[in-house]
Amino acid sequence: MTSATLSQKNRKIGLIFLGVAAAMLALGFASAPLYRLFCQVTGFGGTTQKVTAAEASKVRAAGSMISVRFDGNVAPDVPWTFHPERSTDTIQLGQRDLAFFVARNNSDKPITGTATFNVEPEQTGQYFNKIQCFCFTEQTLQPGEEVRMPVLFYVDPKIANDPNARDVQQITLSYTFHKAEDSPS
């Protein structure tokens, strides 16, 4: 084997390893958005589904009832009180329901927050559909301001056909408000 042939093979192997390293780096940067997309599509980890009003209008209520429990929290750096107006509601599968959460800014300056959410048990996430929600956008509360924030949702009747979720009697919808990245400290 000549020196030139050996040099070409080494260059080829080097380029292959460089390509693999670049692909791994790109996958590392793409993993968070890809995971978020996976959770939104499958409902994995209690991620709820987002639907349009037109999509929701095609769903028909079924005979079964389910209890929905509401939970509200704030991160330690958010000087708000945040809670649901009512702690539970019993709804018919496929029926739209409107729940309200109350948030109050207890500080002396405007605070912008963003809500993260999930449902438990996590296997119900793919059946919990939000039509409208305060969690879709950032919320800015002025000093001392108190607001009612709605969430319009339904639980897909297909849950009754899922062997992993059909025996669920209660779903918990939980929100936690965090300070938005661009919110003043």
Side-chain angles (χ1 to χ4, degrees):
M1 182 176 288
T2 67
S3 169
T5 307
L6 185 59
S7 179
Q8 281 181 327
K9 285 186 176 188
N10 286 343
R11 186 173 300 134
K12 185 177 179 181
I13 290 171
L15 288 173
I16 289 171
F17 280 115
L18 183 62
V20 168
M24 290 174 67
L25 182 65
L27 187 59
F29 279 105
S31 63
L34 289 174
Y35 180 72
R36 189 176 314 110
L37 180 63
F38 171 76
C39 290
Q40 289 172 344
V41 170
T42 64
F44 182 77
T47 303
T48 62
Q49 306 301 299
K50 182 178 178 182
V51 296
T52 64
E55 292 169 324
S57 69
K58 296 175 185 174
V59 176
R60 298 292 168 231
S64 301
M65 305 294 279
I66 194 162
S67 173
V68 179
R69 182 180 163 282
F70 304 104
D71 178 51
N73 304 284
V74 293
D77 65 337
V78 180
W80 290 5
T81 51
F82 175 66
H83 59 87
E85 277 190 342
R86 62 179 188 251
S87 60
T88 59
D89 197 8
T90 302
I91 62 168
Q92 188 176 23
L93 294 179
Q95 175 186 348
R96 293 185 206 188
D97 194 40
L98 183 63
F100 286 94
F101 286 75
V102 178
R104 178 178 174 77
N105 180 352
N106 299 316
S107 76
D108 59 355
K109 56 187 160 200
I111 303 287
T112 300
T114 184
T116 58
F117 54 85
N118 74 329
V119 296
E120 287 293 330
E122 66 181 42
Q123 70 266 28
T124 62
Q126 63 185 317
Y127 303 107
F128 199 97
N129 296 277
K130 292 182 190 174
I131 303 162
Q132 295 175 345
C133 183
F134 60 87
C135 61
F136 296 158
T137 59
E138 292 181 346
Q139 304 295 321
T140 301
L141 274 65
Q142 298 302 315
E145 182 180 14
E146 182 173 292
V147 295
R148 292 176 73 221
M149 296 185 285
V151 57
L152 180 61
F153 68 94
Y154 69 91
V155 178
D156 194 320
K158 292 177 186 172
I159 194 172
N161 301 326
D162 184 337
N164 295 319
R166 68 176 167 223
D167 294 329
V168 172
Q169 300 293 312
Q170 185 175 66
I171 297 174
T172 299
L173 173 62
S174 181
Y175 291 99
T176 301
F177 258 102
H178 301 272
K179 196 175 282 188
E181 289 181 21
D182 57 349
S183 184
S185 296

